[in-house]
Amino acid sequence: MLSPLKLVRPTTVQEASLALMELGDKAKLYAGGAELLLLLRNRLVDAEVLIDLKKIDRLRRLDASNGALRVGACLTHHELAMNAAVRERAPSLALAESQVANIRVRNQGTLGGNLAFNDPHSDPGTVLLVHNASVTIGNAKGERRVVLDEFFVDMYATALEPGEVLLEVEIPSLPAGMSSGYLRLHRYQRPTLGVAAAARITEGIIDEARLAVGCIGPKAQRLTELEAKIRGVTLSDAKRILAEEKNYLRGLLQPVDDLLGSADYKLYMAGVMLGDTLEQACHAN
Ligand SMILES: Cc1cc2nc3c(=O)[nH]c(=O)nc-3n(C[C@H](O)[C@H](O)[C@H](O)COP(=O)(O)OP(=O)(O)OC[C@H]3O[C@@H](n4cnc5c(N)ncnc54)[C@H](O)[C@@H]3O)c2cc1C
């Protein structure tokens, strides 16, 4: 059972941030509540006041001008999966969003809530990393921009400071000729493994590649060393290299044995799925 909660409904970021600072630990930001209400119900988090972000216009906007998508934090997974501009400019993000959980969670949960909570078993962050996405964070005094790679600090930990709200995610389009792919593996609703790739292949040779893996480590990560190794080789050589890099992946991602599988199984599947996702990206054009 949930204890009675007071709901505060600010209409500006400043009001939300001031409420958060004044109320301190008694208050929690609340977007879709998909995660937060579970935490409250299971007494993993305590709150007396919820600060509902959905009345703040800025957080509900999606702008697709100037070569980048700017997505307000309170857009839901379903809205992003169905949005024409997202499907055209970042099709792998639309695909990842369409695979989140089930239609109830997709209708309720927001992109901002997903990134701010930073559960390792998440989909969108992995794709956003290959787009070189960044986030805008704000409080009552101003705003700052943080690249997503630095926003994800650790499992359930982000660069958000007390009193700060995640406002917007900026998603640059991929460079000309590059396409992307996303694949996920799941036994339950949340993913066990998510792999994103973006690549450009010219006359059979990969001349640009970006790779990211999520879920099997504490946070989603870009694989920059592997990206460098597969530039200048054919797709079949790249797939062989990716399947052989288990030690690099083990060191970077630090997978553990758990109910979703052994660390060795997760690493094996990451190697295979990196190759498959790269192939998807190379053939998407
Ligand atoms: C059954 C189930 C299955 C799921 N499966 C998947 C899956 O397959 N893939 C996947 O990616 N995710 C999955 N999720 C996670 C889901 O996507 C997230 O729960 C959801 O996106 C969180 O968004 P929300 O708006 O509901 O956040 P809330 O629950 O409202 O908030 C979550 C946390 O983020 C904070 N917060 C929210 N918005 C902001 C903001 N703008 N700025 C700062 N802090 C903020 C809140 O204070 C809270 O700590 C699943 C969740 C459930 C319950």
Side-chain angles (χ1 to χ4, degrees), residues 34-144:
E35 216 62 272
L36 189 59
L37 295 180
L38 272 183
L39 296 171
L40 289 166
R41 207 171 282 136
N42 291 303
R43 308 222 177 272
L44 295 167
V45 159
D46 248 349
E48 293 169 26
V49 182
L50 298 186
I51 303 170
D52 185 359
L53 297 172
K54 292 190 294 295
K55 294 280 173 211
I56 304 176
D57 276 349
R58 162 99 195 264
L59 275 53
R60 294 275 321 142
R61 275 189 224 138
L62 194 156
D63 176 65
S65 54
N66 299 331
L69 291 166
R70 273 170 290 278
V71 176
C74 282
L75 272 95
T76 65
H77 300 300
H78 183 61
E79 286 170 326
L80 294 172
M82 302 308 288
N83 183 276
V86 177
R87 290 166 86 127
E88 188 195 325
R89 307 261 192 102
S92 297
L93 176 65
L95 174 70
E97 291 288 22
S98 75
Q99 296 183 351
V100 167
N102 55 51
I103 188 63
R104 184 188 66 75
V105 173
R106 288 198 292 278
N107 257 326
Q108 184 184 0
T110 64
L111 179 61
N114 186 288
L115 301 178
F117 192 54
N118 199 16
D119 183 304
H121 297 282
S122 296
D123 292 281
T126 310
V127 181
L128 289 171
L129 284 175
V130 301
H131 270 272
N132 290 340
S134 57
V135 293
T136 304
I137 293 170
N139 63 17
K141 294 189 190 134
E143 297 183 5
R144 65 190 176 106

